[in-house]
Amino acid sequence: MLFIPIFLLLISLGAQFYQYQTTGEIIERSITLKGGTVVTIQTDSPLDLEPIFLEQFPENELVVRDLLDRGRTVGYTFESDAPQDEFVALIVEQYSVSQEDLSVQSIQPSLSERFFLQILTALLAAFVFMSIIVYITYRSLVPAGIIILAVITDIVIAVGLFDLTSQRLGVGGLAAFLMIIGYSVDTNILLTNKMLKLGEIPLYDRFTQAARTGLMMSGTTVIALSLGLFFTNSEIIFQIMLVLLFGLLADIINTWITNAGLLRWYLEKKGEKK
Amino acid sequence: MKWRVWLLLVLVIISLVVIQFQPWRDGVIIQEVVQNTPAQVAGMSADTDRFPTLRERIVEVNGEPIKTVRDFYRANLSGDSIIITQQQRFLLWPFSQEQVYYLENDGDDAGIRVSFAPTSNIRFGLDIQGGSRLVLEPVRILDAEEFSTLRDSIERRLNVYGLSDITVRQVTDSFLGDVSQFIVIEIAGQSPDEVEQLVTQQGRFEAKILNQTIFTGSDITVITSSQQGGITQCSQANGEFVCRYNFPIQLSLQAARAQADATRELDVVGDSLSAPIQLFLDDVLVDELSISADLQGRVTQSISISGSGVGPGRVSAQENALSRMREIQTLLRSGDLPARLEVVRKDTISPLLGQEFIANAFLVALVAAIAVSTFVYIRYRTFKVVIPMLLTAFAEVILLLFLASITPFVNIDLAAIGSIIIMLGTGVDHQIIITDELLSKNRGHLSWRGRLKKALNLIFTSYATTVFAMIAILIFGGGIGILNAFAITTIVGLSIGVFIARPAYAVIIESLLKKHYK
């Protein structure tokens, strides 16, 4: 059964490798994490800005995303490293946008680089702290190690799946990776607790008990996130939910196949030693 | 154990009373009234110290009812206008040309900045409420006292300019030994460009004769009556209009003497002296004035400062001149900054987008709640589990919103939305754990209490891992507040859940499901 998670892992590692080859980074960052200007407008104009943009700013890049509200286009976000004032003026002119339908965010590359590094460090630190707690709970290297391995894999797979989409990582998405740590460790702890501490009933029954609860937990969250993705009209919330969904899907596989499998192997070995 | 349920109930009731949900409320509130505008002259002001739901709302402009911010933007305030709020009636008259000169006004700006009327007392962050944010970095690292002075000076400068609904924060961010300092300015209205212009100038003013500094900004007191000072003349040259402005100031005695000494040395050439007095702002020459001969050697403390503005037409030249004058007056009144600032981040968020965001968030929550409830019902086949689950999850969020209403440390911005997502997700997960543990058929030998204890153990471990992860963020994350806000709000939210809501849930379903257990 272990071939499923391994397969998934290989796909996502492959996606990340490809991403790295093409852009020099494992994950593609949006302007909020790289520096530049993001303009959000509400409009139903179908005008394509790209050709006009390239005429005025031949050296700069532009990323356009549609804002959807239940499937209908209600606006756009434009990201660019073009000079802010001219860029905003161009958009306002082309789409006849009024002040109240416009939001602009701009950030210097030095600041956003710093910010990005900080969040990455926080992610790493959070992970380490979490691992410490896990170890203290089980006081045994192998079960704790398996959990930590599973959580790492969750994040790696989520990154890979993200790379397969056309999304660019913003602050929200990065924070969502942090949230994955918290969410995914819950199911692993549930599994490990049940498997280790219910000595009196057969291994398989312990597993099914844990799985009933655990899959229920993940199931409700998957449903909520999927609906949220469809109904939300906010870029940032969409990305947060998408990252969480990827992490959760990875978690379902990693907890109930990988973690369970490894734990079973460990317990059987321990049982033999007795 | 029952007391926990009562506690939760009481807290929720208190929260609802304080939050004052009023989603039916429409209209706009006055966020800011700019100085020297028709609105200010008419007596309007922004009541920023009131609870959000008690603030003064504009309900009608020139006979048209105002329900949304968009309605207000569409209203025509350039002629005589009547603005009605729920308490008062204001008559606005646009400024005459003369008044535009004297009161340094921008022509057709009535001077009112609005935002949508709050439908509750919940404090929202800028990303939702709308407004602007400027993040600035000083060009060099300042010591604690200088940094504090910088912050105060900026706030004073903005207040003098006429902006009241602003917050100025100093942020020191250390990341692995590398320290950065930032000033974060949040403005309720949407005019970051004016503010940017104002705070990126250090404001060092110097007057020199023959390259010798005679006096600086600290020697000057600006006369505050705005009836004096304004446009003196306009002329046209090379297709452009140039308008000159002029305003009186008082010099300190010491400076006046220095000026007298310097002019004594000069020769008289016709009506003036041989050298002009040159005015520099941040080392850039802004004006050069010839000194009239009768001022030679005289100690005089009353002098005037002048300058000019240009434009393609007379009106734009006047406007430019006036805004330049107002800028210099502000800089002189508030003093110069310890260091120059550079803009590293500038955000402008429309309040309309935020309003729609909230409406949408409610929709998403509702849809998710229905779906999750259905799923839970299918699994447990009884409403006695579904309803308490929904209610306690709902209660947790209410408590968090309560905190967001009473303390400025918790406010609902995008970070908080993330925290709420975590709270709800973890909350439902934990409740499922409790439910399964209590209803499980394989634990016949354990009492209800025993089972609950096992469930709570598991929950507490999960809680600990997430909280520790958040603590890691607080220690290592730094960041310009947003990560910290997220971490703190999540810790607070999860604590409310684990210590109050979870036990309450357990008690509720215990009483509802005791027969199942038997």
Side-chain angles (χ1 to χ4, degrees), chain B residues 303-345:
Chain B
I303 66 170
S304 56
I305 294 203
S306 57
S308 57
V310 300
R314 173 183 266 257
V315 172
S316 58
Q318 271 171 10
E319 280 175 6
N320 285 334
L322 283 172
S323 73
R324 190 69 183 130
M325 179 174 97
R326 194 169 155 202
E327 227 174 82
I328 294 189
Q329 283 179 322
T330 307
L331 294 176
L332 287 174
R333 273 198 202 122
S334 59
D336 62 332
L337 303 175
R340 203 168 53 83
L341 292 168
E342 278 174 348
V343 178
V344 289
R345 182 171 170 176

Coordinates of all heavy atoms in Angstrom, one line a residue, chain B residues 303-345:
Chain B
I303 N 9.0 88.7 9.9 CA 9.3 88.7 8.5 C 8.4 87.8 7.8 O 7.5 87.2 8.5 CB 10.8 88.3 8.2 CG1 11.0 86.8 8.6 CG2 11.8 89.1 9.0 CD1 12.3 86.3 8.2
S304 N 8.5 87.7 6.5 CA 7.6 86.8 5.9 C 8.3 85.9 4.9 O 9.4 86.2 4.5 CB 6.5 87.5 5.1 OG 7.0 88.4 4.2
I305 N 7.8 84.7 4.7 CA 8.4 83.7 3.9 C 7.5 83.6 2.6 O 6.3 83.6 2.7 CB 8.5 82.3 4.6 CG1 9.4 82.5 5.8 CG2 8.9 81.3 3.6 CD1 10.0 81.2 6.2
S306 N 8.2 83.5 1.5 CA 7.4 83.4 0.3 C 8.0 82.3 -0.6 O 9.1 81.8 -0.4 CB 7.3 84.7 -0.5 OG 8.6 85.1 -0.7
G307 N 7.2 81.9 -1.6 CA 7.7 80.9 -2.5 C 6.7 80.9 -3.7 O 5.8 81.8 -3.8
S308 N 6.8 79.9 -4.5 CA 5.8 79.9 -5.6 C 5.4 78.5 -6.1 O 6.0 77.5 -5.7 CB 6.5 80.6 -6.8 OG 7.7 79.9 -7.1
G309 N 4.3 78.5 -6.9 CA 3.9 77.2 -7.4 C 3.6 77.5 -8.9 O 3.2 78.6 -9.3
V310 N 3.8 76.4 -9.7 CA 3.5 76.6 -11.1 C 2.5 75.7 -11.6 O 2.1 74.7 -11.0 CB 4.8 76.4 -12.0 CG1 5.9 77.3 -11.6 CG2 5.3 74.9 -11.8
G311 N 1.9 76.0 -12.8 CA 0.9 75.1 -13.4 C 0.6 75.5 -14.8 O 0.9 76.7 -15.2
P312 N 0.0 74.7 -15.6 CA -0.4 75.0 -16.9 C -1.4 76.1 -17.0 O -1.5 76.8 -18.0 CB -0.9 73.7 -17.5 CG -1.2 72.9 -16.4 CD -0.4 73.3 -15.2
G313 N -2.2 76.2 -16.0 CA -3.3 77.3 -16.0 C -3.2 78.1 -14.7 O -2.5 77.7 -13.7
R314 N -3.9 79.2 -14.6 CA -3.8 80.0 -13.4 C -4.3 79.2 -12.2 O -3.7 79.3 -11.2 CB -4.7 81.2 -13.7 CG -4.8 82.1 -12.5 CD -5.8 83.3 -12.8 NE -5.0 84.4 -13.2 CZ -4.7 85.5 -12.4 NH1 -5.2 85.5 -11.1 NH2 -4.0 86.5 -12.8
V315 N -5.5 78.5 -12.4 CA -6.0 77.8 -11.2 C -5.1 76.8 -10.7 O -4.9 76.6 -9.5 CB -7.4 77.2 -11.6 CG1 -7.9 76.4 -10.5 CG2 -8.4 78.3 -11.9
S316 N -4.5 76.0 -11.6 CA -3.6 74.9 -11.1 C -2.4 75.5 -10.5 O -1.9 75.0 -9.5 CB -3.3 73.9 -12.2 OG -2.7 74.6 -13.3
A317 N -1.9 76.6 -11.0 CA -0.8 77.3 -10.4 C -1.1 77.7 -9.0 O -0.3 77.6 -8.1 CB -0.3 78.5 -11.3
Q318 N -2.3 78.3 -8.8 CA -2.7 78.7 -7.5 C -2.8 77.6 -6.6 O -2.3 77.6 -5.4 CB -4.1 79.4 -7.6 CG -4.1 80.8 -7.9 CD -5.5 81.3 -8.1 OE1 -6.5 80.6 -7.9 NE2 -5.6 82.5 -8.6
E319 N -3.4 76.5 -7.0 CA -3.6 75.3 -6.2 C -2.2 74.8 -5.8 O -2.0 74.4 -4.6 CB -4.3 74.2 -6.9 CG -5.8 74.4 -6.9 CD -6.6 73.4 -7.7 OE1 -5.9 72.4 -8.2 OE2 -7.8 73.6 -7.9
N320 N -1.3 74.7 -6.7 CA 0.0 74.2 -6.4 C 0.7 75.1 -5.4 O 1.4 74.6 -4.4 CB 0.9 74.1 -7.6 CG 0.5 72.9 -8.4 OD1 -0.1 71.9 -7.9 ND2 0.7 72.9 -9.7
A321 N 0.6 76.4 -5.6 CA 1.2 77.3 -4.7 C 0.7 77.2 -3.3 O 1.4 77.1 -2.3 CB 1.0 78.8 -5.2
L322 N -0.6 77.1 -3.2 CA -1.3 77.0 -1.9 C -0.9 75.7 -1.2 O -0.6 75.7 0.0 CB -2.8 77.1 -2.0 CG -3.3 78.5 -2.2 CD1 -4.8 78.4 -2.5 CD2 -3.0 79.3 -1.0
S323 N -0.8 74.6 -1.9 CA -0.5 73.4 -1.2 C 1.0 73.3 -0.8 O 1.3 72.8 0.2 CB -0.9 72.1 -2.1 OG -0.1 71.9 -3.1
R324 N 1.8 74.0 -1.6 CA 3.2 74.1 -1.2 C 3.3 74.9 0.1 O 4.1 74.6 1.0 CB 4.0 74.8 -2.4 CG 5.5 74.7 -2.2 CD 6.0 73.3 -2.4 NE 7.5 73.3 -2.1 CZ 8.1 72.5 -1.3 NH1 7.4 71.6 -0.6 NH2 9.4 72.6 -1.2
M325 N 2.6 76.0 0.1 CA 2.6 76.9 1.3 C 2.2 76.1 2.5 O 2.8 76.2 3.6 CB 1.7 78.1 1.1 CG 1.7 79.0 2.2 SD 0.8 80.5 1.9 CE -0.8 80.1 2.6
R326 N 1.1 75.4 2.3 CA 0.6 74.6 3.5 C 1.6 73.6 4.0 O 1.8 73.4 5.2 CB -0.7 73.9 3.0 CG -1.5 73.4 4.1 CD -2.9 73.0 3.6 NE -3.4 72.0 4.4 CZ -4.3 71.1 4.0 NH1 -4.8 71.1 2.8 NH2 -4.8 70.2 4.9
E327 N 2.3 73.0 3.0 CA 3.3 72.0 3.3 C 4.4 72.6 4.1 O 4.8 72.1 5.2 CB 3.9 71.5 2.0 CG 4.0 70.0 1.9 CD 4.5 69.6 0.5 OE1 5.7 69.7 0.3 OE2 3.6 69.3 -0.3
I328 N 4.9 73.7 3.7 CA 6.1 74.4 4.4 C 5.6 74.8 5.7 O 6.4 74.7 6.7 CB 6.6 75.5 3.5 CG1 7.2 75.0 2.3 CG2 7.6 76.3 4.3 CD1 8.0 76.0 1.5
Q329 N 4.4 75.4 5.8 CA 3.9 75.8 7.1 C 3.9 74.6 8.1 O 4.3 74.7 9.3 CB 2.5 76.4 7.0 CG 2.5 77.8 6.5 CD 1.1 78.3 6.4 OE1 0.2 77.6 6.0 NE2 0.9 79.6 6.6
T330 N 3.4 73.5 7.6 CA 3.4 72.3 8.4 C 4.7 71.8 8.9 O 5.0 71.5 10.0 CB 2.7 71.1 7.7 OG1 1.5 71.5 7.2 CG2 2.5 69.9 8.6
L331 N 5.7 71.8 7.9 CA 7.0 71.4 8.2 C 7.6 72.3 9.3 O 8.3 71.9 10.2 CB 7.9 71.4 7.0 CG 7.5 70.4 5.9 CD1 8.4 70.5 4.7 CD2 7.7 69.0 6.5
L332 N 7.4 73.6 9.1 CA 8.0 74.6 10.1 C 7.3 74.4 11.4 O 8.0 74.5 12.5 CB 7.8 76.0 9.6 CG 8.7 76.4 8.4 CD1 8.3 77.8 7.9 CD2 10.1 76.3 8.8
R333 N 6.0 74.2 11.5 CA 5.3 74.1 12.7 C 5.7 72.9 13.5 O 5.8 72.9 14.7 CB 3.8 74.1 12.5 CG 3.2 75.4 12.5 CD 1.7 75.2 12.7 NE 1.0 76.4 12.1 CZ 0.1 76.3 11.2 NH1 -0.3 75.2 10.7 NH2 -0.5 77.4 10.7
S334 N 5.9 71.8 12.8 CA 6.1 70.5 13.5 C 7.6 70.2 13.7 O 7.9 69.2 14.4 CB 5.4 69.4 12.7 OG 5.9 69.3 11.4
G335 N 8.4 70.9 13.1 CA 9.8 70.6 13.3 C 10.4 69.6 12.3 O 9.6 68.9 11.7
D336 N 11.7 69.5 12.3 CA 12.3 68.5 11.4 C 12.4 67.2 12.0 O 12.4 67.0 13.2 CB 13.6 69.0 10.8 CG 14.6 69.2 11.9 OD1 14.2 69.5 13.1 OD2 15.8 69.1 11.6
L337 N 12.6 66.2 11.2 CA 12.7 64.8 11.7 C 14.2 64.4 11.9 O 15.0 65.0 11.2 CB 12.1 63.8 10.7 CG 10.7 64.1 10.3 CD1 10.3 63.1 9.2 CD2 9.8 63.9 11.5
P338 N 14.5 63.6 12.9 CA 15.8 63.2 13.1 C 16.5 62.5 11.9 O 17.7 62.6 11.8 CB 15.7 62.2 14.3 CG 14.4 62.4 14.9 CD 13.5 63.0 13.9
A339 N 15.7 61.9 11.1 CA 16.4 61.3 9.9 C 15.4 61.3 8.8 O 14.2 61.3 9.0 CB 16.8 59.8 10.3
R340 N 15.9 61.1 7.6 CA 15.0 61.1 6.4 C 14.4 59.7 6.3 O 15.0 58.7 6.7 CB 15.8 61.4 5.1 CG 15.0 61.9 4.0 CD 15.9 62.4 2.9 NE 16.9 61.5 2.5 CZ 16.7 60.5 1.6 NH1 15.6 60.3 1.1 NH2 17.7 59.7 1.3
L341 N 13.2 59.7 5.7 CA 12.5 58.4 5.6 C 12.3 58.0 4.2 O 12.1 58.8 3.3 CB 11.1 58.5 6.3 CG 11.0 58.7 7.8 CD1 9.7 59.1 8.2 CD2 11.5 57.4 8.5
E342 N 12.3 56.7 4.0 CA 12.0 56.2 2.6 C 10.8 55.3 2.7 O 10.7 54.5 3.7 CB 13.2 55.4 2.1 CG 14.3 56.3 1.5 CD 15.5 55.4 1.1 OE1 15.6 54.3 1.5 OE2 16.3 56.0 0.5
V343 N 10.0 55.3 1.7 CA 8.8 54.5 1.6 C 9.2 53.1 1.2 O 9.8 52.9 0.1 CB 7.8 55.0 0.7 CG1 6.5 54.1 0.6 CG2 7.3 56.4 1.1
V344 N 8.9 52.1 2.0 CA 9.1 50.7 1.6 C 7.9 49.9 1.2 O 7.9 48.9 0.6 CB 9.9 49.9 2.6 CG1 11.4 50.4 2.6 CG2 9.3 49.9 3.9
R345 N 6.7 50.5 1.7 CA 5.5 49.8 1.4 C 4.4 50.8 1.4 O 4.3 51.6 2.3 CB 5.3 48.7 2.3 CG 4.0 47.9 2.0 CD 3.9 46.7 2.9 NE 2.6 46.1 2.7 CZ 2.1 45.0 3.3 NH1 3.0 44.3 4.0 NH2 0.9 44.6 3.1

